[in-house]
Amino acid sequence: HTILGRLGAADAPSHTEEVKRDDGLVMRSAKRLFKRISAEGAAPDTTYVVSASFMEIYNAPGAVNECICDLLSPDAGNLQVRYNAKHGFFVSELKEVPCSSAADVRAVLEVGVQNRRVSATAMNRESSRSHALLTLRIDSESAAGADGSGGALRRYGKITFVDLAGSERLKESLSEGNARKETQAINKSLFTLGKVISQLAQGKNERHVPYRDSKLTQLLQESFGGGALCLMVTCISPAVTYAEESINSLNYAQKAMNIRNRPVVRLDEQQQLVFDLKHENSVLRRELEAYRARYGALSPRSYAVPGIDLRATDGGPAAGASAAVVAPMPAAEALAEPPIQNPELVEAAAVDVGSTRQGGRRARSIQPPSSLRSEP
């Protein structure tokens, strides 16, 4: 009820977008979404396209692994989870329905709920035997790109509402036969999701996250560990009898709160490349300005060439010497050895190297320059 709300009571003929008391999170979010992208709240010269898909993950009789069913097209059979570098994990051949208002989203929700698998147990008369995922995709296109290129700027986003089937204890639900296997499959998928949440809460950069252990975690990879915001709503009972289950549910949600994601705006591939290059160029410019402010302007440095006298006379090469080869100084060398502007420091840095014979071996001694030697 928290996610789906009370269905069956359609919106008024005026198609108002006001939130009702019996609306679940799906309808509340849909009404707010269409209110934001309406003519009053949308950005100028921007068009929006919204589509919806609805599926469930369940354990079919005789199936070894989890099965995926399209709730908008139940005759499609078991759908497969695919992966590519562009979209990540996704369900192939999943039906998407265009939606132009919150009423269309309600129609999609009602059709899917009617096809969802439920059964009666000793604890719940209409117990969900599957995990349901309803996804709203929002694509926007502006007339002129914000980057000044003049082309249309396309953004892509989606909202995934997940209604997880609750974990059950067999001794309390008294499930038998296929219902018993469904309970075991539900508990297993929830346990796998808990492991993923625990790994992400501890730091995903140093640990392996077992996304591929379950189809549920595969489809939720972008939500939990990608560039999206994640919100978990936990429903608990105030009864003392279920205090242990309530504490476990709160601990489950507490781990999800520790996940820190950084949302990103999804753009078209070419526009994303241009955006990344401009961002990198801006970062390099700021870094270069900081180096110039600290070390001064960088100037070319002459590199010593064997056999060539680089001592200059009146600003030019020494008489009878070839011209010096001047090459730009690398950035790394510029940072390691900044140019010395004080001539006295240059003289102080010079050393006289002499050589003497001691014990048949050649010994080298370093003497300070004459200007720094103390008088006797």
Side-chain angles (χ1 to χ4, degrees):
H1 178 78
T2 304
I3 298 293
L4 306 179
R6 180 177 298 178
L7 302 177
D11 288 339
S14 60
H15 300 285
T16 59
E17 303 298 336
E18 297 180 359
V19 176
K20 297 182 179 181
R21 180 178 181 181
D22 295 332
D23 289 339
L25 289 179
V26 175
M27 289 308 305
R28 291 172 183 265
S29 302
K31 291 181 178 181
R32 182 176 179 85
L33 170 65
F34 283 99
K35 185 177 181 180
R36 290 288 301 271
I37 66 177
S38 61
E40 294 81 7
D45 300 330
T46 303
T47 58
Y48 298 89
V49 177
V50 182
S51 60
S53 62
F54 204 2
M55 62 179 171
E56 69 173 353
I57 304 175
Y58 70 103
N59 185 64
V64 178
N65 297 323
E66 298 167 312
C67 299
I68 298 179
C69 176
D70 189 350
L71 294 177
L72 302 181
S73 181
D75 298 333
N78 183 23
L79 304 182
Q80 301 298 322
V81 178
R82 308 295 183 185
Y83 177 84
N84 59 31
K86 179 180 179 181
H87 301 95
F89 291 103
F90 66 96
V91 179
S92 60
E93 302 179 1
L94 183 64
K95 183 178 181 180
E96 291 190 3
V97 179
C99 300
S100 58
S101 63
D104 295 339
V105 178
R106 177 182 289 275
V108 170
L109 190 61
E110 290 180 349
V111 172
V113 170
Q114 292 178 359
N115 296 326
R116 189 178 180 185
R117 288 167 173 80
V118 296
S119 63
T121 63
M123 299 180 61
N124 192 347
R125 184 177 60 182
E126 295 181 355
S127 176
S128 302
R129 315 310 296 172
S130 63
H131 306 301
L133 287 79
L134 188 145
T135 302
L136 296 179
R137 296 186 179 274
I138 306 98
D139 301 340
S140 66
E141 181 175 349
S142 58
D147 56 354
S149 59
L153 181 62
R154 300 179 181 88
R155 293 186 176 94
Y156 307 95
K158 68 176 181 179
I159 307 174
T160 302
F161 302 92
V162 184
D163 184 17
L164 297 175
S167 60
E168 298 178 358
R169 292 185 178 183
L170 291 176
K171 66 179 182 179
E172 296 179 358
S173 63
L174 302 179
S175 301
E176 297 293 341
N178 184 60
R180 185 185 184 91
K181 295 181 180 179
E182 289 177 345
T183 301
Q184 294 173 348
I186 292 173
N187 294 339
K188 180 180 178 181
S189 62
L190 292 176
F191 176 73
T192 304
L193 179 60
K195 290 197 305 182
V196 170
I197 294 176
S198 299
Q199 297 286 2
L200 293 175
Q202 297 177 10
K204 62 181 180 180
N205 295 331
E206 300 177 358
R207 298 175 180 271
H208 168 69
V209 182
Y211 289 114
R212 295 182 177 271
D213 291 355
S214 172
K215 292 183 179 181
L216 176 64
T217 54
Q218 290 177 356
L219 297 176
L220 295 182
Q221 177 183 6
E222 188 176 7
S223 299
F224 280 106
L229 289 177
C230 179
L231 174 65
M232 177 174 288
V233 179
T234 304
C235 300
I236 61 176
S237 173
V240 181
T241 308
Y242 305 106
E244 184 178 355
E245 287 78 3
S246 299
I247 294 177
N248 293 334
S249 300
L250 292 176
N251 292 334
Y252 201 94
Q254 179 65 32
K255 295 179 181 179
M257 292 178 57
N258 295 330
I259 300 177
R260 296 291 181 264
N261 287 345
R262 180 175 298 177
V264 296
V265 179
R266 297 178 58 187
L267 304 176
D268 184 74
E269 290 187 4
Q270 295 182 353
Q271 295 174 346
Q272 183 67 48
L273 178 60
V274 173
F275 177 81
D276 294 340
L277 291 177
K278 287 187 175 182
H279 177 70
E280 182 180 0
N281 186 23
S282 176
V283 172
L284 292 176
R285 284 180 177 273
R286 292 196 300 267
E287 185 177 359
L288 181 59
E289 292 176 358
Y291 290 158
R292 285 177 175 176
R294 181 174 181 179
Y295 299 106
L298 304 181
S299 59
R301 173 178 291 182
S302 300
Y303 291 92
V305 180
I308 299 180
D309 187 3
L310 299 181
R311 291 173 299 177
T313 303
D314 296 333
S322 302
V325 179
V326 180
M329 181 174 55
E333 187 176 349
L335 298 179
E337 298 183 24
I340 301 176
Q341 306 296 337
N342 194 341
E344 297 180 358
L345 296 179
V346 176
E347 181 181 358
V351 295
D352 297 332
V353 179
S355 60
T356 57
R357 288 281 183 177
Q358 293 182 358
R361 293 185 300 177
R362 192 178 187 85
R364 299 171 63 87
S365 61
I366 300 178
Q367 301 177 1
S370 56
S371 59
L372 299 180
R373 296 175 185 173
S374 59
E375 297 296 334

